[in-house]
Amino acid sequence: MFSKSSRQDWSFSAISAGFVAVLVGYTSAAAIVFQAYQSAGASLEQIGSWFTLLGFGMGITTMGLSLYYRTPILTAWSTPGAALLVTSMPGIAINDAIGVFIFANALIFLAGITGLFAKMMRYIPQALSAAMLGGILLRFGLDAFASLQSNLALAGSMCLVYLLAKRFLARYAVILSLAIGLAVAAMQGNIAFHGQSLHVAAPLLIAPHFSWSTLIGIGLPFFIVTMASQNAPGIATLHASGYKVPVSPLIAVTALVTVLLAPFGVYSIGIAAITAAICMGKEVHPDPAKRYTAAVAAGIFYLLAGVLGGSIGTLFTALPAPLIHTIAGLALLGTISGSLYRALTEESQRDAAIVTFLITASGIQLFGVGSAFWGLVGGVITHLILSFTPKSSQKNQEKISHPQP
């Protein structure tokens, strides 16, 4: 797998960066993915199997793409996509959930192989995509601080440590917050494994079922959220770090792997952004051409996490709900604030964005279709009405701007 020259590219700093990237990814978002799988009606055994295949899928794509392009390309599950599933999946049959996974990632694959990724995103104003994401994530932020009422010592200590770490050790804020949460929960006697043991989960195949209401109401918003809030920032992170890799193959490969693994519960594998940045810094290696080894190391740690995937469900069922809600909300604070900023920055789109945000956050269901879709519809209609200018008005404005001599 590794030539003599590539073995010389390895360093302890690269391996440690890969480990930290995977650790941050799991500690900051695994709780949200767990909630998403619960919302989809998955049993504890199925959740363990799904986490196993997620780890293997992310490990294989991270290692394969990084070695092929000699570039630190880290893949990851879509945290915003998982958040959407948490709010949209309750009441949906598990077979329909698998159908949604296949449908949304098939759309992503088509966007990749046809090169329409950038073009498709232009049709939906960025402010509306950001507002929809903000509406989806609002619940997580509210639940985090609502936990202060149910367990002040636990949630309060986690929030305090998060703020202090954000000030002095920003990269490790979520990890340290989780660590103090586990410590406080243990002292309170709120961690209960009930004799459950660590184990490796076997893949479980589930037949998909496709229905128009779930595909339109959940699949389409899931596609938009994953493209706009996962793949787009991931590609932007690569380009900002000076790595000019072809976009379409990355999108197509990760989506194809997800489609193939979707019947086994893999809901999303996309291009990582935040955790990928950990593998691209100068502390990894002075030579940018050798930083790909950090991503390869991350791929190996992903595979190890996949082997232990069957125990992740056991871990989260043993933890108190306030801890899970708090860590999920704190991990998403930056995403929530960034979404609201992008949604409201452009004054001409502000009214449409706030309509999108409020409808999405309301959780309404119309004709069996979820609020994320209707939020986007409401925002687009608002934008079209408020921005519409008759042709006669446009001609008058042109005459005023360019009077005849």
Side-chain angles (χ1 to χ4, degrees):
M1 180 183 295
F2 303 110
S3 63
K4 182 178 180 180
S5 60
S6 65
R7 287 195 297 269
Q8 295 174 348
D9 295 342
W10 285 82
S11 64
F12 177 76
S13 59
I15 296 173
S16 61
F19 174 75
V20 170
V22 173
L23 183 63
V24 169
Y26 268 79
T27 55
S28 63
I32 302 167
V33 177
F34 177 75
Q35 292 179 71
Y37 282 159
Q38 275 190 322
S39 299
S43 66
L44 188 60
E45 182 183 10
Q46 289 169 331
I47 291 175
S49 169
W50 293 7
F51 266 110
T52 293
L53 269 297
L54 266 176
F56 290 162
M58 294 186 297
I60 292 170
T61 51
T62 294
M63 292 179 64
L65 291 172
S66 297
L67 286 171
Y68 183 81
Y69 288 106
R70 286 296 192 269
T71 298
I73 301 172
L74 201 70
T75 64
W77 53 45
S78 171
T79 302
L84 169 66
L85 297 179
V86 172
T87 59
S88 304
M89 281 293 183
I92 302 298
I94 191 169
N95 303 86
D96 286 310
I98 299 298
V100 167
F101 301 164
I102 295 174
F103 172 74
N105 286 285
L107 290 180
I108 295 173
F109 175 71
L110 290 175
I113 62 173
T114 58
L116 293 176
F117 171 49
K119 293 180 180 179
M120 291 182 67
M121 297 314 299
R122 291 195 197 107
Y123 286 103
I124 300 175
Q126 183 185 20
L128 302 193
S129 298
M132 182 179 70
L133 178 60
I136 292 167
L137 300 182
L138 179 63
R139 168 186 161 180
F140 292 89
L142 296 176
D143 286 348
F145 295 106
S147 298
L148 292 168
Q149 180 174 324
S150 58
N151 194 329
L152 179 60
L154 175 63
S157 61
M158 292 177 69
C159 290
L160 180 60
V161 168
Y162 175 83
L163 292 175
L164 292 174
K166 219 25 190 174
R167 175 66 177 84
F168 299 104
L169 295 167
R171 178 179 295 179
Y172 306 101
V174 174
I175 296 176
L176 293 175
S177 178
L178 176 61
I180 194 64
L182 291 172
V184 173
M187 288 188 291
Q188 293 178 336
N190 287 336
I191 299 179
F193 284 99
H194 302 296
Q196 298 166 339
S197 59
L198 301 178
H199 64 283
V200 178
L204 298 175
L205 179 66
I206 299 175
H209 179 263
F210 303 96
S211 66
W212 284 111
S213 60
T214 55
L215 296 184
I216 296 174
I218 304 175
L220 194 57
F222 181 78
F223 160 71
I224 294 171
V225 165
T226 301
M227 291 297 274
S229 303
Q230 181 67 45
N231 285 325
I235 296 298
T237 300
L238 279 166
H239 289 175
S241 300
Y243 297 105
K244 305 300 182 183
V245 292
V247 174
S248 293
L250 301 186
I251 302 298
V253 167
T254 52
L256 178 60
V257 171
T258 307
V259 169
L260 296 176
L261 295 179
F264 298 95
V266 174
Y267 78 100
S268 171
I269 297 175
I271 308 302
I274 298 174
T275 51
I278 298 174
C279 297
M280 298 178 187
K282 293 181 179 180
E283 62 275 8
V284 173
H285 199 286
D287 184 358
K290 296 183 178 181
R291 293 172 192 168
Y292 74 94
T293 54
V296 176
I300 295 172
F301 288 117
Y302 270 144
L303 295 177
L304 294 176
V307 172
L308 300 175
S311 306
I312 293 179
T314 299
L315 171 63
F316 282 112
T317 54
L319 300 177
L323 188 152
I324 294 176
H325 291 160
T326 302
I327 196 64
L330 293 177
L332 289 171
L333 277 183
T335 307
I336 295 172
S337 61
S339 298
L340 294 178
Y341 175 79
R342 291 193 301 274
L344 302 176
T345 298
E346 184 63 44
E347 186 175 357
S348 63
Q349 299 177 2
R350 194 170 295 166
D351 289 333
I354 201 65
V355 168
T356 300
F357 172 77
L358 292 175
I359 294 177
T360 303
S362 71
I364 63 170
Q365 295 273 340
L366 297 175
F367 309 107
V369 178
S371 62
F373 174 78
W374 294 117
L376 197 59
V377 169
V380 169
I381 292 174
T382 303
H383 175 68
L384 291 176
I385 293 175
L386 296 182
S387 62
F388 175 73
T389 303
K391 290 185 177 180
S392 59
S393 299
Q394 293 179 0
K395 291 180 179 178
N396 291 334
Q397 290 177 1
E398 290 176 1
K399 289 181 179 179
I400 296 173
S401 302
H402 305 284
Q404 294 295 328

